[in-house]
Amino acid sequence: MGQGEGARAAAIPVLAEVFRERGYEGASLALLGARTGLGKGSLYHAFPGGKAEMAEAVLAAIEAWFETRIYAPLREEADPRAAITRMLSETDTYFLSGGRACLVGAVALTGGRDRFAARIAGYFAAWRDALAAALRRSGHGPEAAADLAEEAIAAIQGGLVLARALDEPAAFGRTLERVRFRLIPSP
Amino acid sequence: MGQGEGARAAAIPVLAEVFRERGYEGASLALLGARTGLGKGSLYHAFPGGKAEMAEAVLAAIEAWFETRIYAPLREEADPRAAITRMLSETDTYFLSGGRACLVGAVALTGGRDRFAARIAGYFAAWRDALAAALRRSGHGPEAAADLAEEAIAAIQGGLVLARALDEPAAFGRTLERVRFRLIPSP
DNA sequence: CGGCATCTGTACCGATCGGTACAAACGCCT
DNA sequence: AGGCGTTTGTACCGATCGGTACAGATGCCG
């Protein structure tokens, strides 16, 4: 199994981009094959479970990325305010300053919801809880922290929807700025 | 043309529900026919343009509903605070307290975006501008009003995404409560 | 009742869907 | 070189996709 694992790993970001652009139902095997440069044979060799396994792998990779780059720092970094600032800049980078939609949110709103409900809920719950933990460590009470965290996650998602709907990526940057102000009112 | 217009009008809310649940690509003609109780013949007689015209009609109906129930009062009602309060309760009702996703947002994130870009952008821009007008009339400066309006619309959209993703409709109610507090800080 | 336009169920179209089968090509070992 | 497991392109599968054609049902007029 030489190239196998490598091909799978290399394919996942490309698959993610296609699912992001077209949704679960809209991403056809023909398109997924063309974009990854893999024929059906290779695709099904790397993902024996077919399209569902591809989407599953993509969601898992996204969750892992957020876990190491955002959730873990929020939970563990010494300075919670620095962790929150980092969360905002990582988020801005990840979503290409509003030019890229949130795949998890898109799947949550449309067809794939039932199929991937657990993973979708986990993604948002983990984000919310990690942010709440950071807010608690920065001095907020448990309820205020949970409320602020939920507001921030919702605002970020809404900012992505709005940026995409208005075709105005800058709306996402403004949203992140407002979130920063709500979460770190100080300086 | 006796039943024709009536059938079309009666079908639109049902079509809307199907598009909402499955997205544009996920809503098949077979399903649309079954749910409306109309055969392909009737469906194509009422909507000669096929699925695209059905989606177009649904989006137009949604826009009209928001225009009369929400945007117009925001723009014209004597008491802007009352109009904002009304906006929030109408929004809560329309989205079934978080149990119903935003079709326009869902289409914006997935496949139908390119096809319906203008209508989607118009929907959100009209909402944002009407809300900004109400905020201006209630004493905010032009920039603050525009900023608050954008934040509120994004928050509402994000609240819908979150409620659906977490399968926790109550998250939408909490979002609306926060929006109310941001928009009408007084009592 | 006859005539006519509006509606609608059904059969069918080519294209594409996700998925499978399988033989040839390939890489790696001794 | 020879052998063997992995990888991959291609042909093919039944199902379903959006859309069309059209004959018959239906309702409304004189």
Side-chain angles (χ1 to χ4, degrees):
Chain A
M1 57 174 84
Q3 303 283 52
E5 293 298 313
R8 179 177 163 116
I12 286 179
V14 184
L15 297 175
E17 217 55 41
V18 180
F19 281 124
R20 216 186 297 273
E21 293 167 10
R22 319 281 285 234
Y24 181 72
E25 328 253 11
S28 70
L29 283 184
L31 183 59
L32 293 166
R35 292 278 289 270
T36 55
L38 299 175
K40 276 193 181 185
S42 317
L43 222 41
Y44 269 81
H45 183 77
F47 305 90
K51 202 162 104 164
E53 181 173 344
M54 297 178 211
E56 195 75 46
V58 164
L59 291 174
I62 291 175
E63 207 169 347
W65 192 94
F66 274 81
E67 171 60 32
T68 61
R69 303 275 293 240
I70 294 185
Y71 306 163
L74 281 174
R75 267 189 254 103
E76 297 155 18
E77 205 172 288
D79 181 355
R81 301 192 183 213
I84 291 172
T85 300
R86 175 175 169 173
M87 171 190 97
L88 293 171
S89 74
E90 292 275 12
T91 302
D92 188 52
T93 303
Y94 183 82
F95 290 113
L96 302 178
S97 299
R100 190 196 233 180
C102 176
L103 172 56
V104 188
V107 173
L109 284 185
T110 59
R113 208 201 88 167
D114 306 328
R115 222 183 300 251
F116 308 110
R119 208 175 271 283
I120 291 168
Y123 168 84
F124 284 108
W127 195 346
R128 180 195 56 190
D129 296 346
L131 177 54
L135 289 168
R136 233 177 293 122
R137 287 193 298 124
S138 78
H140 291 84
E143 291 155 30
D147 198 65
L148 260 178
E150 185 175 275
E151 179 176 17
I153 305 305
I156 289 171
Q157 289 302 310
L160 288 168
V161 172
L162 208 56
R164 199 145 181 83
L166 293 173
D167 196 22
E168 192 181 321
F172 184 59
R174 293 194 293 270
T175 296
L176 285 183
E177 202 47 44
R178 279 181 224 116
V179 170
R180 193 191 60 76
F181 176 75
R182 301 289 187 205
L183 296 180
I184 314 178
S186 53
Chain B
M1 58 174 83
Q3 303 284 50
E5 293 298 312
R8 181 178 161 114
I12 286 179
V14 183
L15 297 175
E17 217 55 42
V18 179
F19 281 124
R20 214 185 298 273
E21 292 167 12
R22 319 280 285 232
Y24 181 73
E25 329 253 11
S28 71
L29 284 185
L31 184 58
L32 293 166
R35 291 279 288 269
T36 54
L38 300 174
K40 277 192 181 186
S42 317
L43 222 42
Y44 269 80
H45 183 77
F47 304 91
K51 201 163 107 165
E53 182 173 343
M54 297 179 211
E56 196 74 46
V58 165
L59 290 175
I62 292 175
E63 208 170 347
W65 191 94
F66 274 81
E67 171 59 34
T68 61
R69 302 276 294 238
I70 295 185
Y71 306 163
L74 280 174
R75 269 189 253 104
E76 298 155 18
E77 203 171 289
D79 180 355
R81 301 195 183 211
I84 292 173
T85 301
R86 175 175 167 173
M87 172 190 97
L88 293 171
S89 73
E90 292 274 14
T91 302
D92 188 52
T93 303
Y94 182 83
F95 291 113
L96 303 178
S97 299
R100 191 197 233 180
C102 176
L103 172 56
V104 188
V107 173
L109 284 184
T110 59
R113 207 200 89 167
D114 307 327
R115 221 183 300 252
F116 308 110
R119 209 174 271 284
I120 291 168
Y123 168 84
F124 284 108
W127 194 348
R128 180 195 55 189
D129 296 345
L131 178 54
L135 289 168
R136 233 177 293 121
R137 290 193 296 124
S138 79
H140 291 85
E143 292 154 31
D147 197 65
L148 260 178
E150 184 175 276
E151 179 177 17
I153 305 305
I156 289 171
Q157 289 302 312
L160 288 168
V161 172
L162 207 57
R164 199 145 181 83
L166 294 173
D167 196 22
E168 192 180 322
F172 183 59
R174 293 194 292 270
T175 296
L176 284 185
E177 202 46 44
R178 280 181 224 115
V179 171
R180 194 191 59 77
F181 177 76
R182 302 290 186 203
L183 296 180
I184 314 178
S186 53

